[in-house]
Amino acid sequence: MSHHSKLIGYILWIFGFTGAHRFYYGRAVSGTIWFFTGGLLGVGWFIDLFLIPGMNERANASYVEGDYSYDVAWVLLGFLGIFGIHRFYLGKIFTGLLFLLTGGLFTLGVIYDFWTLNEQVSEANISFNA
């Protein structure tokens, strides 16, 4: 079963010059490069239009499926990250409160979560199923 969605990937691709779709598929290094270079000046962003199906397959093979949805976690991080709502969703109440009170640890925590959210969801799925 597919836990990373091609539809979400393509929606994030619209904002691809920020690297959003690459972060979603667990490609934090290239996502960061896309963020700072505008998707390699738009060229890499355009090429990614054709690479998303492969990125989707690799993400589905790399991360653990379970009760916590990657899509929900990413939407929460993307729109409410500084409030820590994605952390509450994953059962991380203490760090959720910390994010809520500090603006996502002064946005540095939000950046960290862009790098690590897929792993956090995988860990939550493993813990929940254990």
Side-chain angles (χ1 to χ4, degrees):
M1 184 168 174
S2 176
H3 47 72
H4 278 76
S5 163
K6 278 190 227 172
L7 176 63
I8 297 291
Y10 280 113
I11 290 170
L12 292 172
W13 174 84
I14 294 169
F15 307 101
F17 57 91
T18 67
H21 62 293
R22 288 190 161 264
F23 285 110
Y24 173 70
Y25 287 127
R27 300 173 156 266
V29 173
S30 61
T32 302
I33 293 169
W34 260 233
F35 180 81
F36 285 111
T37 64
L40 295 176
L41 301 177
V43 175
W45 174 67
F46 177 74
I47 292 170
D48 279 352
L49 179 63
F50 306 100
L51 297 180
I52 284 178
M55 285 192 269
N56 188 70
E57 286 179 28
R58 283 187 291 287
N60 283 325
S62 298
Y63 299 108
V64 178
E65 187 175 0
D67 290 337
Y68 293 100
S69 166
Y70 290 85
D71 295 339
V72 170
W74 274 101
V75 167
L76 293 173
L77 173 61
F79 292 102
L80 301 168
I82 63 169
F83 303 112
I85 304 303
H86 62 290
R87 288 189 165 259
F88 287 112
Y89 171 70
L90 294 174
K92 298 179 175 188
I93 305 304
F94 175 75
T95 56
L97 285 171
L98 194 58
F99 270 49
L100 183 63
L101 297 173
T102 62
L105 288 177
F106 313 105
T107 68
L108 294 175
V110 174
I111 293 167
Y112 172 80
D113 282 355
F114 268 95
W115 271 70
T116 64
L117 188 63
N118 283 318
E119 288 82 8
Q120 291 180 50
V121 175
S122 281
E123 288 173 11
N125 282 333
I126 290 168
S127 295
F128 189 80
N129 293 326

